[in-house]
Amino acid sequence: MSETTRSPMPLSETRSPMPLLFRRHSSGEIRNLASLSSSLLPAFGTVMGESSVRLKRFLIAPYDRRYRLWQAFLVVLVVYSAWSSPFELAFSKASTGALLPVDLVVDAFFAIDIILTFFVAYLDKSTYLLVEEHKKIALRYVTHLWFPMDVASTLPFQAIYRVVTGKTSRGQVFGFLNLLRLWRLRRVSKFFSRLEKDTRFSYFWTRYFKLICVTLFAVHSAGCFYYWLATRYHNSESTWMGANIPDFKSRSIWLGYTYSMYWSIVTLSTVGYGDLHAVNIEEKIFTIFYMLFNIGLTAYLIGNMTNLIVHTAVRTFVMRDAINEILRYAKKNRLPEGLREQMLAHLTLKFKTAELQQEQVLEDLPKAIRSSILQQLFRTTLQNSHLFKGVSDDFIVQLVSEIKAEYFPPKVDIVIQNEIPTDFYIIVSGAVDVVTYKNGMEQFLSKLGSQQMFGEIGVIFNIPQPFTVRTKRLSQVVRISHHHFKQLVQPLHEDGKIIHTNFIQHLKGLKNEELAEMPLVSEFLDDLISEEASMNEAGAQDQQENELSATTSSLSKTPSTRVIIHGYHPDHKPKSGGKLIHLPDSIENLHSIAESKFGRRGSTILMADGSQVEDLAALREDDHLYIF
């Protein structure tokens, strides 16, 4: 919904947050949409018009770039607060010394953030609409736990006490009040959650850094609290610190901090040497709880690290298992070494190019996006192939949506001689060899490269594939189904004529060695050349149109019907062999073809059993027709 709908509802309740992804008056574009929160969704039926692009005055978009930078800066200050709060509890002298002005500056920044929060629009969880009313924003903030906790963690209690009383106090109450600053740690949790969803950053290293931060905070907090227990005990000599450092309270702060961190680390790692250990009952109780906490922390760290490592290696495990399965299968069935190597090469390439395979990458995308991607990747390749030069843009757009991209390793057969023609291919990159087999011997015919096509002769003539096509090096090809191709050509007559002309020109350019392996194609070209030579100038255009119509019809039928025609009565002794043709659309065209083949038009069409043909639709593949 938007202003364009003229709804009586307030603008703040009808404005969708989505346009903020693209245009905002307060900042530039958000360039990486993957880094946005998954909760940023428009309501069903929401209309996003120009009127909903801008926020009201004195409001900040929650995903504004500059506001995000401000939040990141506050995370740095939170790190300082997480370190200073336990430290100032244990070492009260530091809280009234050098760290006091630093604390005041940090608290001032968080006080500014409290004020800014009253001007930050928020997303309604029930409607997924961006709320922009100042009253609602303020009411939401002050009625939640966030506001009192933010204020309590920001107030400089020690400085206020000093201003009011004029005295500097090192009482323990201020040390515990400073622990309220740990409330700010929720910002760090949200910060890491955003980083883990942001594809610009490595998930592995983000999680790894987060685990390190959790461990360091636990070690630091435990060490500081353990030192605080030593300073509060009535007999300093009966503490873990007093047993190792006499008169430790008057010694250097950093000496005590070093000892406390050493105790915390060796206790966490359970490799202590016994030089620092619990002495009194309070320290022993704390140590018990700390070591129980360490059990959970250690399990959390090990579980997360194991999950990260296994996640990075899972594809390797799957690949190794698949290779082992292939080796066992080949050994059990005693497959030859060459065939086994082809199987291994194809499997290895499949894993290496898994992220590039069209079906896997495009599977979950809408059809319009898939079509646009395929247009971007393969449109030029299709237009430059010999069969589709000059066809309309509509034909290319429809055809490119039906293609499939595949990778093939070197020395792998893509098309096998004499197999049923189901697809033909266009080379995107790489090279292939066209070979044939004679008397069990392999004979090289030609080499094909980028933007060249193979397999189309078998598809168009509806004959077994005449050649074997083998990759010369790593090759990427696009596969076109003959079923989709013929369905597409059928209604597009002009494109069918262009494809027919291109195909004829391609056949005329084939080598003699290749034509010798395709008798049907050679006969077709011989007949075409003889017809062109015998046609007079006046009737040339009509005859060419008839032949063009017959051949184009063969493209549009699924599959086309082929018959064998003879120029005599079925009871007479044959004078010559028959002619294999594609069945035309009408009996009149069939008589015209007979005239061009045998020199006489004929008036009667009989089957081999003597029955007369009156309807061409009743004919079947490879029927013999006698025209006289």
Side-chain angles (χ1 to χ4, degrees):
M1 299 174 65
S2 69
E3 289 182 351
T4 57
T5 62
R6 297 184 179 180
S7 171
M9 296 177 64
L11 177 62
S12 61
E13 296 182 6
T14 62
R15 182 165 296 175
S16 169
M18 287 303 290
L20 298 176
L21 299 180
F22 308 103
R23 290 179 55 195
R24 298 187 307 279
H25 67 285
S26 57
S27 179
E29 293 182 355
I30 293 180
R31 299 184 182 274
N32 185 17
L33 299 182
S35 65
L36 298 178
S37 171
S38 59
S39 63
L40 192 59
L41 299 172
F44 286 113
T46 299
V47 178
M48 299 179 292
E50 288 296 322
S51 61
S52 62
V53 171
R54 297 182 179 274
L55 290 172
K56 290 182 177 180
R57 295 184 61 187
F58 307 114
L59 279 180
I60 303 173
Y63 299 100
D64 183 278
R65 180 174 57 87
R66 289 177 292 182
Y67 184 69
R68 279 289 180 88
L69 291 176
W70 168 257
Q71 294 293 320
F73 171 69
L74 292 183
V75 169
V76 177
L77 301 184
V78 170
V79 174
Y80 167 77
S81 299
W83 174 84
S84 63
S85 297
F87 185 82
E88 292 176 0
L89 173 66
F91 306 94
S92 57
K93 291 186 293 183
S95 63
T96 57
L99 295 183
L100 181 59
V102 180
D103 290 341
L104 293 176
V105 173
V106 172
D107 290 338
F109 279 110
F110 282 100
I112 294 173
D113 183 69
I114 292 176
I115 298 174
L116 287 178
T117 306
F118 285 94
F119 300 93
V120 179
Y122 70 93
L123 200 67
D124 192 310
K125 297 296 184 181
S126 60
T127 63
Y128 288 99
L129 299 178
L130 205 61
V131 178
E132 303 175 25
E133 291 187 9
H134 288 284
K135 291 183 180 180
K136 289 186 176 181
I137 295 173
L139 184 63
R140 175 177 179 266
Y141 184 42
V142 299
T143 55
H144 283 73
L145 180 63
W146 308 331
F147 178 71
M149 290 301 299
D150 285 347
V151 172
S153 62
T154 303
L155 287 176
F157 294 103
Q158 204 158 3
I160 294 174
Y161 177 83
R162 186 173 181 177
V163 171
V164 173
T165 63
K167 300 178 182 180
T168 300
S169 175
R170 296 181 180 176
Q172 295 299 314
V173 64
F174 293 108
F176 282 102
L177 287 175
N178 285 340
L179 293 179
L180 290 174
R181 298 172 184 167
L182 297 180
W183 164 257
R184 302 168 181 171
L185 285 173
R186 78 186 194 282
R187 298 176 182 269
V188 179
S189 177
K190 293 180 179 179
F191 177 74
F192 276 110
S193 179
R194 287 199 302 269
L195 288 183
E196 290 171 359
K197 297 175 183 177
D198 196 333
T199 56
R200 294 173 298 178
F201 301 95
S202 169
Y203 179 80
F204 175 85
W205 291 111
T206 300
R207 293 284 297 178
Y208 185 72
F209 184 67
K210 179 181 179 180
L211 295 176
I212 292 177
C213 292
V214 171
T215 304
L216 292 179
F217 176 72
V219 169
H220 169 74
S221 300
C224 290
F225 193 77
Y226 209 62
Y227 185 88
W228 178 83
L229 287 177
T231 59
R232 302 303 300 166
Y233 198 68
H234 61 278
N235 184 7
S236 300
E237 300 298 328
S238 299
T239 62
W240 64 276
M241 183 63 74
N244 292 272
I245 308 176
D247 197 19
F248 67 91
K249 294 182 180 180
S250 60
R251 303 289 291 273
S252 168
I253 291 178
W254 298 109
L255 177 64
Y257 183 68
T258 302
Y259 267 77
S260 63
M261 290 297 293
Y262 175 72
W263 172 86
S264 182
I265 291 174
V266 297
T267 304
L268 174 66
S269 58
T270 65
V271 292
Y273 298 100
D275 49 350
L276 294 180
H277 58 275
V279 176
N280 55 65
I281 188 63
E282 294 179 2
E283 293 177 351
K284 291 181 178 180
I285 293 175
F286 175 76
T287 303
I288 289 173
F289 284 101
Y290 180 51
M291 296 189 71
L292 290 175
F293 168 78
N294 288 343
I295 294 175
L297 179 61
T298 303
Y300 172 76
L301 296 176
I302 293 176
N304 275 269
M305 291 303 300
T306 302
N307 182 49
L308 291 175
I309 294 173
V310 170
H311 179 73
T312 58
V314 64
R315 290 186 69 253
T316 303
F317 293 155
V318 173
M319 178 179 176
R320 289 174 61 88
D321 290 342
I323 290 177
N324 289 332
E325 288 293 332
I326 283 182
L327 292 177
R328 284 194 293 267
Y329 179 85
K331 183 178 180 181
K332 181 178 180 180
N333 294 277
R334 299 180 181 179
L335 298 180
E337 185 69 20
L339 186 56
R340 182 170 58 180
E341 292 296 330
Q342 287 189 25
M343 295 167 64
L344 292 176
H346 183 78
L347 180 64
T348 303
L349 184 64
K350 175 183 176 182
F351 279 93
K352 288 183 178 180
T353 61
E355 69 278 6
L356 299 176
Q357 294 301 313
Q358 302 305 115
E359 293 82 357
Q360 297 173 3
V361 176
L362 306 180
E363 183 178 9
D364 297 327
L365 295 177
K367 185 176 182 180
I369 297 180
R370 293 200 305 267
S371 179
S372 298
I373 293 174
L374 293 174
Q375 291 282 339
Q376 181 69 26
L377 295 177
F378 303 116
R379 182 187 182 95
T380 302
T381 300
L382 264 64
Q383 288 178 327
N384 293 335
S385 61
H386 68 260
L387 197 60
F388 304 128
K389 286 183 178 179
V391 297
S392 65
D393 289 338
D394 290 340
F395 179 86
I396 294 294
V397 169
Q398 296 180 53
L399 180 62
V400 78
S401 301
E402 303 294 340
I403 64 176
K404 303 294 183 182
E406 296 178 336
Y407 282 89
F408 289 92
K411 306 299 181 182
V412 171
D413 293 339
I414 303 177
V415 173
I416 300 177
Q417 187 174 349
N418 294 324
E419 71 175 355
I420 299 174
T422 58
D423 308 278
F424 61 98
Y425 303 82
I426 302 176
I427 303 172
V428 179
S429 61
V432 299
D433 289 334
V434 179
V435 299
T436 186
Y437 291 91
K438 283 187 177 181
N439 301 323
M441 300 295 293
E442 182 178 295
Q443 178 182 347
F444 173 81
L445 295 178
S446 63
K447 174 184 175 182
L448 302 179
S450 177
Q451 298 183 348
Q452 291 184 290
M453 184 182 296
F454 60 90
E456 79 284 7
I457 296 177
V459 168
I460 293 178
F461 279 102
N462 196 25
I463 60 175
Q465 292 290 1
F467 309 118
T468 293
V469 180
R470 180 179 303 138
T471 54
K472 191 175 183 66
R473 56 177 181 268
L474 175 63
S475 301
Q476 181 189 15
V477 301
V478 291
R479 174 166 51 90
I480 304 173
S481 168
H482 81 292
H483 177 71
H484 291 138
F485 171 67
K486 292 184 177 181
Q487 277 189 333
L488 182 59
V489 172
Q490 186 173 0
L492 303 175
H493 300 293
E494 293 300 323
D495 290 320
K497 294 177 182 179
I498 295 174
I499 292 174
H500 166 263
T501 303
N502 293 337
F503 184 61
I504 295 299
Q505 293 299 323
H506 173 67
L507 294 180
K508 291 180 179 179
L510 292 177
K511 298 179 181 179
N512 293 330
E513 295 85 353
E514 295 176 313
L515 291 174
E517 300 300 323
M518 300 180 289
L520 179 62
V521 176
S522 299
E523 182 180 350
F524 174 79
L525 289 177
D526 292 340
D527 292 342
L528 186 63
I529 293 173
S530 63
E531 290 168 12
E532 292 176 350
S534 62
M535 285 189 304
N536 54 42
E537 186 174 352
Q541 184 174 0
D542 294 338
Q543 186 66 25
Q544 188 175 7
E545 287 294 331
N546 290 335
E547 188 67 20
L548 182 61
S549 175
T551 309
T552 305
S553 175
S554 69
L555 291 175
S556 61
K557 293 184 179 181
T558 312
S560 59
T561 303
R562 300 176 302 175
V563 296
I564 302 173
I565 61 175
H566 305 270
Y568 49 85
H569 192 280
D571 294 335
H572 296 171
K573 196 171 184 179
K575 300 177 182 178
S576 61
K579 301 291 185 181
L580 179 65
I581 66 168
H582 290 280
L583 191 64
D585 295 331
S586 65
I587 293 180
E588 183 67 23
N589 289 336
L590 182 57
H591 284 298
S592 299
I593 295 176
E595 183 179 7
S596 66
K597 298 291 185 182
F598 306 116
R600 57 181 181 276
R601 185 177 182 85
S603 59
T604 305
I605 305 175
L606 298 180
M607 299 288 290
D609 57 1
S611 59
Q612 186 170 352
V613 176
E614 296 181 353
D615 186 4
L616 297 185
L619 298 179
R620 297 182 180 180
E621 184 80 7
D622 296 331
D623 278 345
H624 289 259
L625 305 180
Y626 297 86
I627 305 173
F628 57 94

